[in-house]
Amino acid sequence: MCVLQWGIRMRLDIHKDFPILDQNIHGRPLVYLDSAASSQKPKAVIEAMTHYYEHDHANIHRGIYTLSERATVLHDQARDRVKQFINAKSSAEIIFVRGTTEAINLAAHSYGRSQLRAGDEIIVSVMEHHANIVPWQMLAASVGAHIKVIPLLPTGDLDMENYASLFSPRTRLVAITHASNVLGTVNPIKKITAIAHAHHVPVLVDGAQAVPHLSVDVQDLDCDFYVFSAHKMYGPTGIGVLYGKQALLENMPPWQGGGDMIAQVSFSGTTYAPLPAKFEAGTPAIAEAIGLHAAIDYIETIGMPAIMAHEAALMAYAKTRLGDIPGFRFIGMAKEKVGVIAFTLDDIHPHDMGTILDRSGIAIRAGHHCAMPLVMSLGLPAVARVSFGIYSRRADVDALVKGLYAVKKVLA
Amino acid sequence: MCVLQWGIRMRLDIHKDFPILDQNIHGRPLVYLDSAASSQKPKAVIEAMTHYYEHDHANIHRGIYTLSERATVLHDQARDRVKQFINAKSSAEIIFVRGTTEAINLAAHSYGRSQLRAGDEIIVSVMEHHANIVPWQMLAASVGAHIKVIPLLPTGDLDMENYASLFSPRTRLVAITHASNVLGTVNPIKKITAIAHAHHVPVLVDGAQAVPHLSVDVQDLDCDFYVFSAHKMYGPTGIGVLYGKQALLENMPPWQGGGDMIAQVSFSGTTYAPLPAKFEAGTPAIAEAIGLHAAIDYIETIGMPAIMAHEAALMAYAKTRLGDIPGFRFIGMAKEKVGVIAFTLDDIHPHDMGTILDRSGIAIRAGHHCAMPLVMSLGLPAVARVSFGIYSRRADVDALVKGLYAVKKVLA
Amino acid sequence: MTAELRELYQSVIIDHGRHPRNFGALANANHHHEGFNPLCGDRILIHAQTQNDRVEKIMFEGSGCAISMASASLMSDLLLKKTRAEIETVFADFHQLITTGHANQDLGKLRVMSGVHEFPLRVKCATLAWHALLAALRDVSGKVTTEDEEPI
Amino acid sequence: MTAELRELYQSVIIDHGRHPRNFGALANANHHHEGFNPLCGDRILIHAQTQNDRVEKIMFEGSGCAISMASASLMSDLLLKKTRAEIETVFADFHQLITTGHANQDLGKLRVMSGVHEFPLRVKCATLAWHALLAALRDVSGKVTTEDEEPI
Ligand SMILES: Cc1ncc(COP(=O)(O)O)c(C=O)c1O
Ligand SMILES: Cc1ncc(COP(=O)(O)O)c(C=O)c1O
């Protein structure tokens, strides 16, 4: 239950904003517990994109007619909205990409390949999503750099002492997740950037699992890059954001070439456009930027404090209810967590759990969650995960508990 | 007027499928003549995406519940539909990207950087869009390769004799547009690939302006790569396609790293997934793939032959009507053209034309059209362009003619 | 519990899943292969011992869901004395069974797996061990993954 | 023709656009700068000759739309004998005029450009020459582009 009165009202209403939730799966009401993989979309977001296509669409930039002007203004406004949302200093620091993965690849290609040399080092943590491992491995392989890995404490928190000890004169970058997509752990980013900056090392923060759940202020965090995907924060697929400090972005070479990222093209030489255009070659995901704008409006209308209170209350409820199930084991007990619970139940394989729960309309995720190094370090072949969104309710937890008892019965 | 009876019926109905066209701009009915920059979207495409978000959305792959299975199947079906649409041999040859620009960058980074060495040569034409110039310039600069440029004949056709003479033992790639976004010229791709293949050189074809207007059969064209954007073919923003012959794609290293493009990740080494996943790191543009599927269905329901007949008739009508205006000059007179007309009128700057036409609700494009080398080679600072889509009508041409007379009057 | 679930998780499957037969290393195996299912992280290492092209013994190691473990366990019991060609025929029928619910020939004890056909996402689980065995017998190097399974 | 169009394309503007004053090279110019508008490909090369920090003569070359040509032409006529600081003040007022339709101080003949404020997309055209002139007087090397103009 929410601590605040308006929190309670919110919980009763919110569900109805999401058309997809109003359906039966295998004859049972859908209980969607996989928001960390991708959130559902409120009507307001879907309608903003439909409205755009039905009234305002044209290619942006360089259009000299009304529709193109409208589309350009809407696209610019979306960028400004993102800037406010994460409190960037300037809209020039907001680069639109397809998602978290492309954002990290952009940083690895442009910043990485221009700055790193053989023997240099990159620090990541063992709890990273593959998106924040593989691009650095590919970069390391291509320039001859090395990757150092921050281990975890048994609680699921980062081993901060070990982290501080990993720096060397060759450390060139720290790439770390704001919140773990498996354990839910929220990492102490301000401390992490302070330590890195003391060594003059920039920090890239993977905010994919943080932006839907926390107030993010990139200036306060003092991170150098911050990346996230719209589809995990109630926005559309096909768009995400790379935030970078302006001075850093300005010194980085472009990555992709094409229209709009150039000032002038000739066969004897090409000059590049200023930020953010330099990193946005080609026709961008225009409708998707407008959908992201609507998603931020939606989040801020409800209010991040209300969302956080709601999710904290739901997590507390879930911990009590789930903890009562015999054989239920929580994976990851960090103090600060987003609405993600990884667990095992008896010796039941998560995949069997998932199949059985699905027949009760309950959607959970099972496997390595694109975080194989973490799951392997836990000594488990796979884990089950439930994750909450703004629309999740106590009734969802109740259904899950009932479903897990049914799982035990089927496999008894 | 269309040659075929059903062509006429089509022309009257089609317009109504596009909600955006039913509006006034500055008090006058919208006349949208900028489809080459981005086409408008039929209701069926918008609704397919809305339906997806309202009923079937979840992250794809690795989900073990019904919604994820549905989303995965829909995404796979979209890929199969694209495969059919361009007659690829296998769906593994269809890589989803953001658009034409990203597709060319993928080829330039993965194929280009792994295959080209200092002193190697790339052949492009002078009529390329910046998207098919800048990535090759960046590649050339990074590996020390050179770019050779096919010039045009006065008609706006490629100088094929010159093309054949550009090959050397160091030629490694031909990158050429299927249809020019300024002149409308359709290039003889079959001849171009035959000549290149005789020199064992692969060919990348920029199909951005061809797929909305022509039947494309990549096996018949025998091109090695074919790239296009959904947003120019009645589909959504945020998605496009890189087709590549399977053997080529299989030998190319991955470009972006992340989730879904790997088979296994550990800090001691990572193995990559098979095609097409190898080139699709991260959560893809799922709703957009479904929108692209709907766009192909839309095109094929009307039928490419009907579309071509309609556009050819409209072009003929436009040529007669526009040619009658004193001071009107066509730029580019190739025999085979898509529905694109570049022109000048007296000594009126295209930008002034655009502003004045906009006040009559008419949307045209003016400038260099992201093809600066071409526009400069024409000895013009800028050109005006109108371009047609499936929904364009004789009434649009009539409005344009009236508008151009008004332009002459304003600036007299 | 739905009828489909009862059909999928028959007691034979739960029993084989929990107490797999032929689980462990095989000292004088002459064929080995690792199968991997990235969908759920399942991993099965197959050891096979052949003589005159006939399989004399199959053992396996690894971990996985009830379906993949039961499938490996049943398979390791039922394919002895067969040649690779014969096993490929059985696999074709087995594949038909778990995708359609019925098979061309009587598959004996393997019929308990027919419930899989109502769960297309689980076909990969049921075939993992088979892919690994066939790759082992073909002496394919490296690893097979269920990604090679045709998409459902 | 709408009233806004009449206001934008006044005869003075059409006249200056078609027959720009001070068009051509300037032999003893001591400041030069090229301005470029990627929106429409317009390009204006400014030559200015100063003495004791005051502009004695402005000439320009290039090509562009009626608005950018007229703006360059009017500017080249009206800024003589001014210092860079004074020109910056005039430009601030001019910018206000073409974005809002009115200015703080009487801009004299420049007032014919006020119609631009109904056409936000054309502000870049009207300011191209000014940006280039100011960059020339600041002796900025390279090129200015109207992309530096705040977004509309
Ligand atoms: C011929 C051609 N190639 C490439 C492009 C770039 O396409 P996109 O901006 O969708 O990446 C365009 C469209 O502007 C085009 O007309
Ligand atoms: C922590 C984290 N980082 C990165 C990603 C990748 O995001 P995307 O697939 O949207 O690129 C995810 C989501 O799967 C994630 O949870």
Side-chain angles (χ1 to χ4, degrees), chain A residues 115-145:
Chain A
Q115 296 294 319
L116 272 76
R117 303 281 168 271
D120 285 348
E121 295 162 1
I122 302 165
I123 296 177
V124 305
S125 88
V126 75
M127 69 166 84
E128 299 310 312
H129 186 279
H130 293 165
N132 206 20
I133 297 175
V134 184
W136 307 118
Q137 286 184 326
M138 290 168 72
L139 167 65
S142 115
V143 304

Side-chain angles (χ1 to χ4, degrees), chain A residues 36-37 98-102 104 128-129 131-132 177 179-181 206-209 229 231-232 369-370 385, chain B residues 59 281-284:
Chain A
R98 181 169 36 250
T100 308
T101 302
E102 192 189 20
I104 298 172
E128 299 310 312
H129 186 279
N132 206 20
T177 197
S180 159
N181 66 313
D206 174 353
Q209 295 296 340
S229 303
H231 72 92
K232 292 184 199 275
H369 311 284
C370 286
R385 179 188 77 185
Chain B
N59 212 327
T283 303

Side-chain angles (χ1 to χ4, degrees), chain B residues 26-254:
Chain B
H26 295 301
R28 307 281 287 275
L30 168 61
V31 175
Y32 186 71
L33 293 172
D34 198 21
S35 293
S38 194
S39 71
Q40 298 302 344
K41 322 302 172 198
K43 226 176 171 46
V45 167
I46 303 169
E47 278 171 1
M49 293 189 286
T50 298
H51 187 276
Y52 168 72
Y53 281 131
E54 294 194 343
H55 297 88
D56 306 318
H57 174 67
N59 212 327
I60 59 167
H61 302 316
R62 305 177 189 201
I64 48 171
Y65 52 87
T66 303
L67 284 187
S68 176
E69 187 184 350
R70 272 194 225 151
T72 304
V73 168
L74 289 169
H75 191 254
D76 288 344
Q77 284 173 347
R79 196 189 305 279
D80 295 342
R81 194 74 179 89
V82 171
K83 170 206 167 252
Q84 281 172 34
F85 182 60
I86 61 169
N87 193 32
K89 257 198 192 126
S90 153
S91 294
E93 298 176 321
I94 305 300
I95 313 293
F96 284 129
V97 290
R98 181 168 37 249
T100 307
T101 302
E102 192 188 21
I104 297 172
N105 278 278
L106 196 169
H109 274 90
S110 172
Y111 184 80
R113 270 158 227 242
S114 64
Q115 296 294 320
L116 271 78
R117 303 279 167 273
D120 285 348
E121 295 163 1
I122 302 165
I123 296 177
V124 305
S125 89
V126 75
M127 68 166 81
E128 299 310 312
H129 186 278
H130 293 164
N132 206 20
I133 298 175
V134 183
W136 307 119
Q137 286 185 325
M138 290 168 73
L139 167 65
S142 114
V143 304
H146 307 293
I147 291 182
K148 289 184 161 181
V149 184
I150 315 168
L152 299 190
L153 301 174
T155 52
D157 287 297
L158 278 188
D159 184 340
M160 288 293 285
E161 266 179 52
N162 182 292
Y163 165 63
S165 76
L166 291 180
F167 285 86
S168 87
R170 301 305 301 269
T171 310
R172 291 287 172 270
L173 188 78
V174 175
I176 187 95
T177 197
H178 197 164
S180 159
N181 67 314
V182 179
L183 306 173
T185 311
V186 176
N187 289 321
I189 299 297
K190 280 184 82 161
K191 276 190 207 148
I192 288 169
T193 56
I195 292 168
H197 291 167
H199 293 89
H200 307 289
V201 173
V203 179
L204 177 143
V205 178
D206 175 353
Q209 295 296 340
V211 282
H213 303 292
L214 308 172
S215 288
V216 170
D217 178 331
V218 291
Q219 293 189 63
D220 181 53
L221 294 174
D222 198 22
C223 52
D224 302 275
F225 297 106
Y226 196 93
V227 300
F228 57 97
S229 304
H231 73 92
K232 293 185 198 276
M233 53 176 284
Y234 315 110
T237 56
I239 194 163
V241 171
L242 168 71
Y243 157 84
K245 285 185 181 164
Q246 187 152 357
L248 264 176
L249 291 176
E250 258 161 13
N251 285 320
M252 283 159 54

